Amino acid sequence: MNEHVQAEGTAPLFNPLAPDFIRDPYPHYERLRTADPMHRTQFGAFVASRHAEASLVLRDKRFGKDYVERTVRRYGPKIMEEPIFRAMGHWMLQQDPPDHTRLRGLVVKAFTARRVEDMRPRIQEIVDQTIDAIIDRGHMDLIEDFAFRLPVTIICDMLGIPEEHREVFYKSSRDGGRILDPVPMTKEEIAQANAGHAMAQMYFHQLFELRRRNPGDDLTTQLVQAEENGSKLSNEELTANIILLFGAGHETTVNLIGNGLLALHRNPDQLALLKANPPLITGAIEEFLRYDSSVQLTGRVALEDIDDLGGKQIPKGESVLCLLGSANRDPAVYPDHPDRLDITRPNVKPLSFGGGIHFCLGAQLARIEAEIAISTLLRRLPDLRLDDADNPQWRPTFVLRGLLRLPASW
């Protein structure tokens, strides 16, 4: 440990995989914002915990992804031979222009406001079917039985995954996500990630063949056609980005619905207010995003020496991790009790979807899915209660913040 990370005998300021950090990161963020807002972590990166620096880094052209360089820096020169890291290198999420611009341009049309708005009836239908299936049981796990099915179904619709293939996706384990954490992975974790990636790759290659033979009105067909014309997309890029869209298209929305429902039940006054005034749901979703973001961190790399960022010099090649969950509770932006859930809070502009050229493609889709899911649940199961709102089980990952399960009864 270097001396500016911690004094003798104290815990590191930023230890994101520690159980108490995962359970409730917000007191830790407050300490960071107060004590060392541009903190140099024990694994080398800087963490930006205030809104001002985090939002600047996301939008500033002097920062980029620089994926290969930054990964080699963390793991050594052989790391890009690992299939999972090679695949991630092709994600548009990890690319800089011009590759990023080209890849994003191929999928952006599927996520336009108009397209997404038109999906409302389908989203409503899935939510109602999900509730119909369990309403007589009197209990369920809000994650597996409710929050998970909607976004998985929608992303399967968008990617043209046939109905008869979907059961495996509804049952698939949710132990990914570790790969995104800022703490380096062990050999075992890398091997596990490679195995998961190989399975996904095998499936999507079959899907590509299917869509070459039977084109559909879906994103996979569009991308397969872009790959066939050669200049737009290589096969590796096609595979990596479909896997990215599949993961990003459901993981974070599951967590938004779960974290939002937990927040409401931990704040009965807000739950009562929303039940009494259903139209408040639109603002409530923004507040859920702010209050307990599904994505807690996103990173950039300095593409040149930065003289002064929050009082620190950032040398070229250094990573800056933007703590979105911390920025969302910065009293400089939310002066009125930032740690309180307030579904009527004005001017909520959460950083939860990132910013700049990598701003989340599916932001509007996630909002609408969460809005319909939560409002329909409150309307149809008004007496639903969480079995244990005080000690929920969080997933052991930090960047993707969400619950393992959330049992409820009515």
Side-chain angles (χ1 to χ4, degrees):
M1 295 277 171
N2 37 15
E3 69 295 334
H4 56 251
V5 170
Q6 57 180 132
E8 269 314 294
T10 58
L13 265 179
F14 183 65
N15 186 16
L17 295 184
D20 68 315
F21 205 109
I22 284 171
R23 193 167 54 247
D24 184 6
Y26 299 102
H28 300 272
Y29 292 159
E30 191 178 4
R31 253 202 335 267
L32 278 164
R33 287 192 306 266
T34 318
D36 192 5
M38 278 298 299
H39 173 66
R40 182 81 188 268
T41 68
Q42 66 270 34
F43 35 82
F46 288 87
V47 288
S49 51
R50 290 189 302 210
H51 191 282
E53 288 84 13
S55 56
L56 179 118
V57 168
L58 294 176
R59 293 174 178 81
D60 192 314
K61 296 275 190 291
R62 295 173 302 169
F63 291 91
K65 287 290 185 172
D66 204 15
Y67 176 76
V68 175
E69 275 301 299
R70 115 174 161 242
T71 308
V72 165
R73 211 180 157 129
R74 245 173 90 179
Y75 286 101
K78 285 247 193 294
I79 192 64
M80 295 318 286
E81 293 168 15
E82 297 286 355
I84 185 69
F85 286 98
R86 208 169 50 240
M88 278 175 76
H90 291 294
W91 288 3
M92 68 184 89
L93 178 64
Q94 305 290 9
Q95 293 277 9
D96 293 311
D99 286 328
H100 172 265
T101 321
R102 171 177 58 86
L103 291 169
R104 190 173 171 117
L106 290 172
V107 300
V108 68
K109 287 189 282 299
F111 293 93
T112 58
R114 182 63 217 274
R115 272 269 178 109
V116 170
E117 221 21 72
D118 289 346
M119 290 158 75
R120 272 186 189 269
R122 172 68 174 143
I123 293 170
Q124 184 66 60
E125 174 192 32
I126 298 162
V127 173
D128 279 319
Q129 286 172 353
T130 305
I131 295 176
D132 291 343
I134 46 98
I135 196 159
D136 295 335
R137 295 201 328 223
H139 62 88
M140 67 165 149
D141 172 9
L142 279 168
I143 305 301
E144 189 185 344
D145 298 327
F146 182 70
F148 193 60
R149 285 196 86 85
L150 168 66
V152 172
T153 306
I154 290 292
I155 199 67
C156 284
D157 283 0
M158 292 180 80
L159 292 178
I161 293 173
E163 290 284 344
E164 61 273 19
H165 295 179
R166 295 185 184 186
E167 209 42 50
V168 59
F169 291 111
Y170 294 129
K171 299 220 175 347
S172 68
S173 69
R174 296 175 63 228
D175 53 12
R178 171 68 182 93
I179 184 103
L180 300 172
D181 286 329
V183 178
M185 291 164 72
T186 63
K187 273 202 166 51
E188 295 70 38
E189 287 174 320
I190 292 173
Q192 194 185 357
N194 282 336
H197 175 71
M199 294 286 287
Q201 206 175 4
M202 231 159 63
Y203 174 72
F204 285 109
H205 284 168
Q206 288 172 13
L207 183 66
F208 302 155
E209 286 315 307
L210 177 69
R211 289 298 164 234
R212 285 191 184 103
R213 289 197 310 272
N214 309 321
D217 177 23
D218 56 66
L219 210 54
T220 303
T221 301
Q222 265 179 46
L223 292 177
V224 163
Q225 289 167 354
E227 182 232 359
E228 283 173 342
N229 93 27
S231 57
K232 296 263 176 68
L233 196 65
S234 72
N235 190 271
E236 258 196 302
E237 288 175 324
L238 169 65
T239 310
N241 282 290
I242 290 271
I243 291 174
L244 168 67
L245 287 167
F246 183 78
H250 74 282
E251 275 289 356
T252 48
T253 310
V254 175
N255 294 346
L256 170 56
I257 296 168
N259 296 3
L261 287 168
L262 177 65
L264 277 177
H265 284 89
R266 284 177 153 181
N267 293 274
D269 60 319
Q270 298 299 296
L271 179 60
L273 182 60
L274 184 54
K275 281 179 176 173
N277 304 277
L280 291 177
I281 188 68
T282 315
I285 298 298
E286 298 310 294
E287 177 68 349
F288 299 149
L289 285 161
R290 182 198 73 82
Y291 180 77
D292 203 7
S293 176
S294 317
V295 180
Q296 288 285 312
L297 173 155
T298 186
R300 297 287 188 274
V301 172
L303 303 176
E304 56 187 72
D305 291 336
I306 311 286
D307 287 340
D308 178 14
L309 182 66
K312 297 275 173 82
Q313 288 182 320
I314 314 290
K316 179 182 174 179
E318 282 289 348
S319 294
V320 178
L321 309 176
C322 303
L323 294 176
L324 307 175
S326 178
N328 283 341
R329 295 203 188 191
D330 188 338
V333 182
Y334 301 103
D336 184 23
H337 297 88
D339 287 323
R340 190 165 71 197
L341 183 75
D342 174 5
I343 62 168
T344 61
R345 189 185 294 275
N347 306 318
V348 179
K349 296 190 171 61
L351 275 191
S352 310
F353 292 119
I357 63 169
H358 291 282
F359 183 82
C360 175
L361 265 174
Q364 205 40 34
L365 176 58
R367 287 184 172 111
I368 292 175
E369 288 185 33
E371 182 186 307
I372 293 174
I374 292 173
S375 49
T376 306
L377 188 72
L378 298 184
R379 189 182 75 243
R380 293 196 54 191
L381 293 172
D383 56 347
L384 177 126
R385 295 273 172 279
L386 297 187
D387 295 0
D388 185 359
D390 295 329
N391 302 295
Q393 271 185 289
W394 293 97
R395 296 172 62 183
T397 51
F398 164 67
V399 171
L400 296 182
R401 176 165 173 78
L403 296 151
L404 270 175
R405 52 186 68 82
L406 192 59
S409 314
W410 59 93

